[in-house]
Amino acid sequence: MELHLIIEGRRGLAEQVYRQISQAIQSGRLAHGQQLPPSRLLAEQLGISRKPVEEAYRRLGYERLVLGQAGRGSFVNAPAAQAGKPPSPALLAANAALAAWREYDNPLRKVVDEARARYDFIGGSPAAQHFPEDDWRRAVNAALRAERVHRSRYADSAGLPELRRTIASHAAYSRGVAGDPSRVIVTNGAQQALDLLARVLLEPGACVAVEDPCYPAARQLFRSHRARVAPVPVDAEGIVVERIPEDARLVYVTPAHQFPLGMAMSEARKRQLLDHAARSGAVIIEDDYDSEFRYEGRPADSLQGMDRDGVVVFVGTLSKVLMPELRIGYMVAPEALAEPLAIARNLSDWHGPTLIQHAAARFMEDGSLLRHIRKLGAVYAARREALLAGFAGPLAPWFETVPASAGFHITALARRELDMPQLIRLARRMDVGLYSLEKFYAGAAAQQGLVMGYGAIDTLDIPPALERVRAVLQQMDS
Amino acid sequence: MELHLIIEGRRGLAEQVYRQISQAIQSGRLAHGQQLPPSRLLAEQLGISRKPVEEAYRRLGYERLVLGQAGRGSFVNAPAAQAGKPPSPALLAANAALAAWREYDNPLRKVVDEARARYDFIGGSPAAQHFPEDDWRRAVNAALRAERVHRSRYADSAGLPELRRTIASHAAYSRGVAGDPSRVIVTNGAQQALDLLARVLLEPGACVAVEDPCYPAARQLFRSHRARVAPVPVDAEGIVVERIPEDARLVYVTPAHQFPLGMAMSEARKRQLLDHAARSGAVIIEDDYDSEFRYEGRPADSLQGMDRDGVVVFVGTLSKVLMPELRIGYMVAPEALAEPLAIARNLSDWHGPTLIQHAAARFMEDGSLLRHIRKLGAVYAARREALLAGFAGPLAPWFETVPASAGFHITALARRELDMPQLIRLARRMDVGLYSLEKFYAGAAAQQGLVMGYGAIDTLDIPPALERVRAVLQQMDS
């Protein structure tokens, strides 16, 4: 067998032997079932005493990287060979819980692994090539300098004061959200805001009303908190308030830009929803994930800004306006909720990395974020025009778009029954990535359609991409 | 009244008016109750049309920053004046849940706000002045460059592959933890590892055994998951296994360096605990928060490395070896748990900021972390010597230390009944920060003592600080 070990100096001999053999096994250089030299022999070869070799072997044994067979010697037990072994008896007791968790899986979780098409209409993925690299690097380096001052202490679980201040201003300015910084809770993405609200406000078995269709990661999250999730239909004005169960403790809505359909909630519907919440004792979660990008008309008032009863929690994020990998989300909560939410954040994970919080605060404070939103908004406006033109033109026989004036996706509903899986499959063969609307529905009333994100596709690529889609549709018709 | 508004250009007039008035109110320049000029008058003064002023006023009204009184005009309603208003009727329905959350509060949460003494023995706060600024800045800048490549996509919820690899190596090397990278889940600090385990493995009402004393943030977390928390006594060898309830689904222990007492779990006790878990179906959480710093003897094997039944989850963190603000924790889980834990992480918050993950991977990969641990280990060794000398010398009449050979705190038990609150108060007057052991106990059998962290105090400061403590104790005796 091949076993080249290099011993340097006279210190940490057992470590040195252990580490090199372990790495050889992990990397596959030592194959499963290979025999190791007896410790005495190896010690002689290396010119060291037998004790450190024995210690290394024992540690390898503890790690099950090497198995001893009485009277025969020590044999490599490669991790790949361990992988197939059945779960331990002890874990079998947890099997029901583990199976439940597999059921809670978020259908969007694995998007990271998916290869993208040349023309890809993935949603929720902001334009990477327009990311303001220089401004962001400057903000991070300023944050590195700021951090020198007070290191090695846990920070405020509700978020760094400077970030809470800039977030309060941003939400007030861009969305008319009312609330001083003491009511802002910084979260690790909007997803954690939903999680903390579920923790604090839901008893097991409590009812949560969600729009149908809706963001599946939210629906699955509420399920994982053992809530009863009630999908409520939406019409052209938004969630159908009469269909919200009376006992719903939380109502999760996307008023500025319904996810994924795209329309805004009407003023009348907003008032009706606020009245419902105030009367029934429900708390409304207003998820405003991307409405900083706006193309037509005056920004509608946020539900939270209209709320007179302190029943709305506004949830926002930098994932869409800046980038998802940043993991900066936030909520502006009614005063009575702010402290319990900070406690829940503390117990969940204390707080997010301060470097990122410092950098985000700096990036917002110095105007970089608003500049970026304005710049990217112009880019998106052009892409949106191209997309709407395509659906009003070549694709009009098959699809009609849902009116939407914010964000960076539009939804196109099928005018008549289509074999959507086939459409997506054939388009993909033409290197066009399409995404079905259906998976966002929980209830039976799923509409056929496409969710067309325009964060990841250039303006000039949109007409040829839609031309390919038209060709596929014609082929399917014939 | 003072109201200086500056209008620039002819665009976004309503925004400009709104923003400046809003800021004036938020900053207190416009006081509660002040009257705003009528919209017509203000429009005239500014030389703009009345419409944008009216729109700005309406938005201020929505935000309740301005309240209209019919026939009298518009008045400033400052946030400070809103703060005192009672919680909304809707939220009253949630009051029981909110009250429960106040009960779950972590007694360590507010440490961020506490001023430190000149001589401060706070625990868990690594030596800030030895933080490797240059290495860390290099790692962050390398991460910024790496991030240019693939932006604007969510990442793997279990953590970046390169970080999971370096963590698997680090845990194997430093603690003999067995597990390939597929079983590593990166978390937002060790706290989130505990949270994810509680989510995945605990039904409401399930029993969790914790050591008594124990890390209060862990105890409170399990409570907040509606678990029945059973504090189990520890003796000189570690947790008293016979006292673990048979129905405990989770057993949370700190074998390498009992928190906060400091002793290591004996080999025999470890085997007994593993046997218990394999027999009863419990999962063991091994929290190894700081044992990379080790001063005497050979590192004891981790429980996880000894586990033959796949019942141990190893939880580690960079909070103590590097810095808590980084929020990098991890677990190495049995194979059957890895996927459910990744799903739970995804639903909680998707993943942590990739910049920090990239930087941490780089920092570990290039040897900076091990170098830092070695360097800081030498610093801590000297501080520990000074501390042990003080307790063996001047403080010996009052305290005896618990033998501990890892981490960066030791615990000193009172030899006889002492008025601990008075000791802490009087020491504080002498500018010495002492921290009582008692608050870490859940049960009735709290021992009197001090938890003496040496991360935040220099070696040369230790003798004079302990001299002050001795003086206080003598004064209390007389």
Side-chain angles (χ1 to χ4, degrees), chain A residues 65-384:
Chain A
L65 290 171
V66 166
L67 300 182
Q69 296 182 12
R72 292 193 48 220
S74 298
F75 295 83
V76 171
N77 181 41
Q82 296 174 25
K85 76 178 177 184
S88 75
L91 280 179
L92 290 178
N95 261 356
L98 299 182
W101 274 91
R102 292 211 174 78
E103 290 246 319
Y104 298 144
D105 200 1
N106 165 16
L108 304 179
R109 179 168 68 99
K110 294 285 193 180
V111 291
V112 52
D113 301 325
E114 287 165 14
R116 298 229 180 128
R118 154 122 177 64
Y119 302 107
D120 208 295
F121 291 101
I122 184 86
S125 204
Q129 76 275 39
H130 293 281
F131 183 80
E133 298 287 352
D134 293 341
D135 288 345
W136 177 241
R137 195 180 53 247
R138 250 194 305 280
V140 169
N141 277 292
L144 281 169
R145 286 190 296 276
E147 298 242 306
R148 284 174 179 253
V149 183
H150 51 178
R151 272 232 206 272
S152 295
R153 301 183 73 149
Y154 284 97
D156 190 332
S157 291
L160 293 187
E162 50 268 57
L163 181 56
R164 295 166 81 192
R165 267 200 311 273
T166 58
I167 284 174
S169 302
H170 175 78
Y173 173 78
S174 65
R175 300 298 300 119
V177 170
D180 58 282
S182 72
R183 286 163 51 190
V184 173
I185 317 283
V186 178
T187 55
N188 201 25
Q191 186 74 18
Q192 193 182 38
L194 306 184
D195 182 53
L196 298 178
L197 288 164
R199 280 177 194 245
V200 166
L201 290 170
L202 294 180
E203 303 278 327
C207 177
V208 178
V210 302
E211 296 170 325
D212 194 27
C214 144
Y215 186 52
R219 204 163 51 211
Q220 294 294 71
L221 170 69
F222 296 134
R223 283 202 175 117
S224 81
H225 279 283
R226 300 181 167 79
R228 204 158 30 89
V229 174
V232 176
V234 295
D235 62 22
E237 294 190 63
I239 192 166
V240 179
V241 174
E242 294 83 5
R243 302 283 294 273
I244 297 173
E246 270 303 308
D247 63 344
R249 301 284 310 114
L250 280 179
V251 182
Y252 171 70
V253 290
T254 47
H257 189 215
Q258 205 278 334
F259 188 85
L261 290 173
M263 69 283 184
M265 197 180 288
S266 73
E267 197 84 0
R269 195 61 61 84
K270 285 181 187 171
R271 299 209 174 278
Q272 194 189 353
L273 179 57
L274 288 170
D275 287 348
H276 171 92
R279 188 175 43 69
S280 72
V283 171
I284 300 172
I285 304 177
E286 175 177 31
D287 185 352
D288 196 331
Y289 54 101
D290 67 0
S291 82
E292 285 98 336
F293 298 118
R294 174 158 295 279
Y295 311 102
E296 288 162 12
R298 196 179 73 77
D301 301 301
S302 65
L303 257 186
Q304 198 266 9
M306 295 168 64
D307 177 21
R308 292 292 160 275
D309 302 290
V311 296
V312 177
V313 182
F314 182 89
V315 173
T317 180
L318 299 190
S319 291
K320 307 301 180 234
V321 293
L322 192 52
M323 66 164 164
E325 301 97 313
L326 198 60
R327 314 306 303 129
I328 293 280
Y330 55 89
M331 34 186 165
V332 184
E335 200 191 340
L337 282 181
E339 181 81 353
L341 288 168
I343 294 170
R345 173 85 213 244
N346 178 266
L347 293 181
S348 296
D349 64 353
W350 277 89
H351 58 78
T354 52
L355 182 72
I356 299 290
Q357 291 191 62
H358 270 126
R362 173 67 61 122
F363 189 85
M364 294 172 85
E365 184 81 51
D366 72 7
S368 298
L369 180 67
L370 284 183
R371 231 178 4 256
H372 176 63
I373 290 172
R374 263 199 304 274
K375 207 177 118 187
L376 204 51
V379 171
Y380 286 161
R383 295 182 183 179
R384 179 171 174 272

Side-chain angles (χ1 to χ4, degrees), chain B residues 176-354:
Chain B
V177 170
D180 57 281
S182 71
R183 287 163 51 192
V184 173
I185 317 284
V186 178
T187 55
N188 202 25
Q191 186 75 17
Q192 193 183 37
L194 305 184
D195 182 53
L196 297 178
L197 288 164
R199 280 177 193 247
V200 166
L201 290 169
L202 293 181
E203 303 279 327
C207 177
V208 178
V210 303
E211 295 170 326
D212 195 28
C214 145
Y215 185 51
R219 205 162 51 210
Q220 293 295 71
L221 170 68
F222 296 134
R223 284 202 177 117
S224 81
H225 279 282
R226 299 178 167 82
R228 202 156 32 87
V229 174
V232 177
V234 295
D235 62 22
E237 294 189 61
I239 193 167
V240 179
V241 175
E242 292 83 6
R243 302 282 296 273
I244 298 173
E246 270 303 309
D247 64 343
R249 303 281 311 114
L250 280 179
V251 182
Y252 171 70
V253 289
T254 46
H257 190 213
Q258 205 280 334
F259 189 84
L261 290 173
M263 69 286 182
M265 197 180 290
S266 73
E267 197 84 0
R269 195 59 65 82
K270 285 182 187 170
R271 300 208 172 278
Q272 194 191 353
L273 178 58
L274 287 170
D275 287 347
H276 172 93
R279 189 175 41 70
S280 72
V283 171
I284 299 171
I285 304 177
E286 175 177 30
D287 186 350
D288 195 331
Y289 54 101
D290 67 359
S291 83
E292 285 99 336
F293 298 117
R294 174 159 294 281
Y295 311 102
E296 287 162 12
R298 196 177 73 78
D301 302 300
S302 66
L303 255 187
Q304 198 266 9
M306 294 168 64
D307 177 21
R308 292 292 160 275
D309 301 291
V311 296
V312 177
V313 181
F314 182 89
V315 173
T317 180
L318 299 188
S319 291
K320 308 300 179 234
V321 292
L322 193 52
M323 66 164 164
E325 301 97 313
L326 196 61
R327 312 308 301 130
I328 293 279
Y330 56 89
M331 37 187 163
V332 184
E335 200 190 336
L337 282 182
E339 181 81 355
L341 288 167
I343 294 170
R345 172 85 213 245
N346 178 267
L347 293 181
S348 298
D349 64 353
W350 279 89
H351 59 78
T354 52

Side-chain angles (χ1 to χ4, degrees), chain A residues 5 13-22 36 39 42 48 50-63 65-66, chain B residues 298:
Chain A
L5 302 186
L13 296 175
E15 274 297 346
Q16 294 190 39
V17 173
Y18 157 77
R19 192 158 21 126
Q20 293 180 66
I21 296 180
S22 165
L36 291 181
S39 57
L42 182 58
I48 61 178
R50 190 172 165 183
K51 195 156 160 274
V53 177
E54 279 172 343
E55 191 182 322
Y57 276 29
R58 197 175 53 226
R59 192 151 154 207
L60 291 163
Y62 278 137
E63 291 186 39
L65 290 171
V66 166
Chain B
R298 196 177 73 78

Side-chain angles (χ1 to χ4, degrees), chain B residues 402-475:
Chain B
V402 179
S405 59
F408 52 100
H409 78 266
I410 58 169
T411 293
L413 300 176
R415 290 186 193 273
R416 54 181 169 82
E417 177 130 349
L418 286 174
D419 183 344
M420 296 299 291
Q422 198 195 4
L423 169 61
I424 288 168
R425 208 167 42 243
L426 293 177
R428 183 67 208 220
R429 276 200 214 150
M430 309 276 283
D431 227 353
V432 178
L434 296 180
Y435 299 87
S436 170
L437 172 63
E438 280 163 282
K439 68 172 170 228
F440 298 101
Y441 283 89
Q447 286 188 278
Q448 286 199 319
L450 294 170
V451 179
M452 305 290 290
Y454 46 92
I457 187 163
D458 281 342
T459 310
L460 293 178
D461 283 342
I462 291 173
L466 297 186
E467 190 46 49
R468 290 178 188 208
V469 176
R470 192 197 54 77
V472 168
L473 285 161
Q474 274 187 330
Q475 178 195 335

